[in-house]
Amino acid sequence: MIEYINETPLKKPLIFDTHAHYDDSRFDENREILFDALNQNGVGGIITCGCDLASSKKAIKMAEEHKFVYAAVGMHPGNMEKPDDLNEIEKLFSHKKCVAIGEIGLDYYWTQDNKPTQKEVFKKQLELSLEYALPVIVHDREAHSDTLEFLKSYKPKGVIHSFSGSPEMAAEVLKLGMYIGIGGVITFKNAKKLPDVVKMLPDNRILLETDAPYLAPVPYRSKTNNSAMIYLTAQKIAELRETTTEHILNLSFKNAKELFGI
């Protein structure tokens, strides 16, 4: 992890990671060392996302302790065991380092038996995003139709993270004024639709992310991901869009600051 960061060629902060999970236990042994290394090697901004009450509180704590780290707080569709915890999560929305409600959304890949609860919690968090004027970070896995229906209904500001839909779905999302989050999956050989999505995105709707510690880009696939690896994701996107890596990094950084009010 640290060895890779030292190879990053950036001499100034061009990377903004709009989606990571630095509360994960894989970072417990060297989280502070890692943050220092990231900050010194091209990473100028990170949004670490909550998935439940505990991880949302940890996200806020990390954001308080590190100037370049920001928090998103929310209830992930895979964490529906205690839906009433949303009342406590809501208390975190007003924190000065909370820049989004997330990670929220729908996931029909892992479970099919709690769709009503997922939908109700997603609906409530979308309503709260409008009430608090906060953007949303949306998880959508094998739930494209329902996700799009909710977004069209509420029209929140925000991003669909780790976008896995078609170019046609991307076009519908863009019509809503939302952003598309692209991570290490774009470097995978089995990313069939994503290259076409990347090619059609307007400059002002691209966001880069890691989903760290997950989804590390090639050649580090299956390894622990970190924000510096966004450089490799940007390289692939630049190749597809016939531009430079630095241009893609600059676009994402600008777009992140605009969406999240940083």
Side-chain angles (χ1 to χ4, degrees):
M1 192 161 21
I2 299 301
E3 288 76 11
Y4 172 74
I5 292 172
N6 290 337
E7 296 174 3
T8 302
L10 298 174
K11 301 301 181 184
K12 55 183 179 179
L14 293 179
I15 291 173
F16 199 118
D17 185 354
T18 61
H19 193 111
H21 297 280
Y22 280 110
D23 64 291
D24 192 276
S25 61
R26 274 169 277 190
F27 297 116
D28 285 351
E29 291 186 8
N30 65 353
R31 186 177 290 106
E32 296 308 309
I33 295 172
L34 176 59
F35 277 152
D36 287 343
L38 291 172
N39 196 215
Q40 295 171 23
N41 289 275
V43 180
I46 295 170
I47 296 176
T48 188
C49 300
C51 290
D52 55 16
L53 179 57
S55 57
S56 292
K57 287 182 175 179
K58 289 179 180 178
I60 291 290
K61 185 173 186 295
M62 281 183 276
E64 288 176 336
E65 294 173 348
H66 300 276
K67 185 177 180 180
F68 74 115
V69 177
Y70 303 87
V73 302
M75 186 173 290
H76 187 284
N79 295 330
M80 295 290 106
E81 298 86 357
K82 297 180 179 180
D84 289 343
D85 280 355
L86 184 55
N87 295 324
E88 292 300 311
I89 293 173
E90 183 183 350
K91 296 176 182 178
L92 303 174
F93 292 168
S94 299
H95 191 282
K96 64 181 180 179
K97 292 297 291 284
C98 176
V99 297
I101 298 175
E103 175 179 358
I104 68 174
L106 301 172
D107 191 320
Y108 298 164
Y109 176 81
W110 289 110
T111 181
Q112 296 283 330
D113 59 7
N114 69 349
K115 284 185 180 180
T117 304
Q118 285 192 42
K119 289 180 178 180
E120 181 59 32
V121 174
F122 187 29
K123 173 178 177 289
K124 178 61 175 176
Q125 291 180 104
L126 288 172
E127 291 172 346
L128 290 170
S129 77
L130 301 180
E131 179 181 341
Y132 285 84
L134 284 171
V136 292
I137 297 175
V138 178
H139 174 104
D140 164 35
R141 189 165 188 187
E142 297 194 5
H144 300 328
S145 178
D146 285 351
T147 298
L148 196 54
E149 183 178 340
F150 273 106
L151 296 179
K152 286 182 176 180
S153 177
Y154 288 93
K155 297 179 174 61
K157 295 188 303 180
V159 55
I160 295 188
H161 116 85
S162 193
F163 187 81
S164 60
S166 64
E168 292 76 18
M169 180 182 177
E172 292 299 309
V173 172
L174 293 171
K175 287 178 185 177
L176 296 172
M178 296 187 71
Y179 294 71
I180 301 292
I182 307 294
V185 174
I186 190 61
T187 68
F188 298 176
K189 289 182 179 179
N190 62 348
K192 303 301 183 183
K193 298 177 182 178
L194 196 53
D196 290 333
V197 171
V198 163
K199 291 175 184 177
M200 56 87 72
L201 291 178
D203 283 354
N204 65 346
R205 288 292 179 264
I206 298 172
L207 291 178
L208 300 181
E209 60 170 73
T210 57
D211 206 18
Y214 313 105
L215 300 178
V218 174
Y220 297 94
R221 188 174 182 180
S222 80
K223 304 295 185 182
T224 300
N225 202 357
N226 69 70
S227 300
M229 291 189 185
I230 278 181
Y231 189 85
L232 299 173
T233 299
Q235 277 187 319
K236 181 62 178 180
I237 293 173
E239 174 188 324
L240 291 168
R241 292 172 68 89
E242 299 182 346
T243 185
T244 67
T245 301
E246 289 73 16
H247 178 65
I248 297 300
L249 291 172
N250 274 314
L251 286 179
S252 176
F253 206 111
K254 179 182 177 181
N255 293 341
K257 291 178 70 175
E258 181 174 338
L259 174 59
F260 298 108
I262 296 169

